[in-house]
Amino acid sequence: MRDGVVVVGAGIAGVACARELSSAGIPVQVRERGRVVGGRMASRRFDGRPADLGAAYLTVSDPEFAEVVRGWQAAGLAREWTDTFVAYDGESCREIPGPMRWAAPRGLRSLAEQLGRDLPVETDRAVGGVGPGPTVDGEAYAAVVLAMPGPQAASLLHPELVAATESVEQQRWSPTLAAMLRFPSRRWTDFRGAFVNSHPLLSLVCDDGDRRGDRAAVLVAHTTDAYAARHLARPTAAGPEIEAAVRDLLALPDRAEHVHVHRWTYAKPAGGDTPVTSFHLDADGIGLAGDAFGEPRVQTAWRSGRDLGRALARRLA
Ligand SMILES: Cc1cc2nc3c(=O)[nH]c(=O)nc-3n(C[C@H](O)[C@H](O)[C@H](O)COP(=O)(O)OP(=O)(O)OC[C@H]3O[C@@H](n4cnc5c(N)ncnc54)[C@H](O)[C@@H]3O)c2cc1C
C-alpha cells in the first residue's frame, strides 16, 4: 500500500483538505480532472479577460475563513465588493442590504489557485474509480477523499463502499446555466448585482465589470434551476433567450456582442436536511467534503475540506 491520502478534486474543498493534511505532515496527492484548479470557483477568459462563471462572490462569517480571505486581500487577490444588491420582483426593483460580498479582480479561481500553490496537484488527471482498500484506480492508499458534488462521487464509488455510497445518495443537486454577456458599452444604471425573483428564466445578474473593478461592459446571468434543467442537453442554444431576458430586465438598448453559456449540471445542493457534520469519514477510509455539508457556499466547501483534513490527520498521525 502507498502511504498517504489521495484527494480527488481540486475545488476549494479539496485544496483546503490537502493543505491541512500537508501541514500535518501527511503525504497527500491531489488529482483534478480539469485543466486548472478551482472547480465551481470558475473564471474563464474571454479575449484575455476573466469572467466568473461559477460562484458569483464570497461571503465570510467563519473567523478562520476570514483570516484566509484577509490573506487573499493582502496579496491583492480579493476585495470587498458590495453589501447592497437590488432585487427585481416583477415590475418593482428595490435595494436590499446584505452581508459584504467579496470579489476577486483576477477571478475567483485565482483564490483557489493561491491556496493550492505549494501542493502536489496533478491537473488533467481524472480518477476513474475508488474501491475498497481504499484504492484509487487500482492502487491502495491510507485514505481517499472525494471533494466534489455527490453525484460525481457516486459515479466513482465501488458499491461495496456502502457508507460513502449511502451518504452521497442522500444528496440532491440542482443545475444552473451561467451566461457571460459582453456588450458594446455600459448602458445600465449602476446595480452591482441583482436577485431576480419569480422570473421564468433568470435568478441572478451580476455586473462583472464592477465586480472585477475594470468597468468592462460584461454581465453574468444565472438561470433558474428549472430553466437550466430544460436546456442541459443544448446549453448554447439558450444563449439568445438568456440575452433577451437580460436586455428586457435592465432595459438595455444594445444587443450583446458576445454570449457564452456554461452548463453546471451539479451547481448547488438542493435543500433537504442540513447535514449534522461538516464532512463524511468512514471506517473504509473514504472521506467526502464539499458544499453539500451545509449552505451551498464557498465558505462551506472550504470549512468542510478543512475539517475533513484535520480529522484525517488525527486518524493517520
Ligand atoms: C452558478 C453557481 C453560482 C454560485 N454562486 C455562489 C456564490 O455567489 N457564493 C458562494 O459562496 N458560492 C456560490 N456557488 C457555490 C460554490 O461555487 C461552491 O460551494 C464551491 O465552489 C464548491 O467547491 P467544492 O470544492 O466543494 O466543489 P467543486 O468546486 O465542484 O470541485 C470539485 C472538483 O472535482 C473535480 N472532479 C470531479 N470528478 C473528478 C474525477 N473523476 N477526477 C478528478 N477530479 C474530479 C472537478 O473537476 C472539480 O474541480 C455557486 C456555484 C455555482 C455553480
Side-chain angles (χ1 to χ4, degrees), residues 5 7 11-23 28 30 119 145 147 289 301-302 304-310 312:
V5 179
V7 175
I12 193 81
V15 166
C17 181
R19 274 198 88 77
E20 288 297 328
L21 288 163
S22 175
S23 62
V28 61
V30 185
L119 296 170
V145 168
W302 174 85
S304 175
R306 173 203 64 184
D307 291 352
L308 175 56
R310 286 183 184 168
L312 263 174

Side-chain angles (χ1 to χ4, degrees), residues 8-14 31-34 36 38-41 53-59 125-128 147-149 152 156 176 178 222 264 266-268 289-291 296-299 301:
V8 188
I12 193 81
R31 296 188 189 166
E32 166 56 50
R33 72 177 177 184
V36 290
R40 278 171 285 151
M41 291 173 78
L53 291 181
Y57 50 80
L58 306 176
T59 49
R125 180 90 193 260
V127 164
M148 61 187 64
Q152 291 175 347
L156 302 181
T176 298
H222 295 177
W264 294 105
Y266 305 112
K268 292 183 185 178
D291 54 344
R297 298 273 173 268
V298 169
Q299 176 177 267

Side-chain angles (χ1 to χ4, degrees), residues 47-274:
D47 296 329
R49 178 190 183 278
D52 279 317
L53 291 181
Y57 50 80
L58 306 176
T59 49
V60 184
S61 57
D62 180 296
E64 222 179 299
F65 188 56
E67 261 178 53
V68 174
V69 173
R70 274 194 293 275
W72 286 330
Q73 183 181 31
L77 294 174
R79 68 185 191 103
E80 289 188 343
W81 177 29
T82 182
D83 62 3
T84 307
F85 267 20
V86 296
Y88 283 90
D89 272 291
E91 295 298 298
S92 81
C93 174
R94 64 198 156 89
E95 281 200 343
I96 45 168
M100 177 51 69
R101 297 172 177 95
W102 289 75
R106 296 183 212 165
L108 288 175
R109 195 178 73 72
S110 66
L111 308 181
E113 197 170 52
Q114 196 268 356
L115 210 58
R117 68 197 179 285
D118 303 324
L119 296 170
V121 181
E122 279 184 74
T123 52
D124 275 322
R125 180 90 193 260
V127 164
V130 174
T135 61
V136 178
D137 294 336
E139 288 211 49
Y141 293 88
V144 178
V145 168
L146 297 175
M148 61 187 64
Q152 291 175 347
S155 70
L156 302 181
L157 284 166
H158 189 282
E160 279 177 29
L161 297 167
V162 175
T165 301
E166 280 178 3
S167 176
V168 292
E169 281 178 351
Q170 282 167 19
Q171 297 178 20
R172 295 286 168 267
W173 285 74
S174 61
T176 298
L177 301 182
M180 188 287 302
L181 310 166
R182 192 180 63 220
F183 290 88
S185 61
R186 296 174 61 83
R187 300 285 294 276
W188 49 86
T189 325
D190 274 348
F191 72 97
R192 297 175 194 277
F195 296 118
V196 193
N197 299 322
S198 314
H199 193 279
L201 198 158
L202 301 172
S203 63
L204 179 75
V205 181
C206 286
D207 181 339
D208 197 64
D210 187 71
R211 174 162 73 182
R212 180 75 20 82
D214 66 357
R215 308 295 288 169
V218 175
L219 301 175
V220 174
H222 295 177
T223 70
T224 63
D225 49 3
Y227 181 83
R230 291 197 300 277
H231 293 83
L232 281 182
R234 294 178 64 228
T236 304
E241 205 171 21
I242 300 172
E243 192 250 9
V246 170
R247 276 195 290 122
D248 182 50
L249 182 80
L250 301 175
L252 301 180
D254 304 319
R255 299 195 65 138
E257 54 191 18
H258 186 181
V259 178
H260 174 87
V261 182
H262 185 93
R263 166 184 53 201
W264 294 105
T265 305
Y266 305 112
K268 292 183 185 178
D273 295 338
T274 306

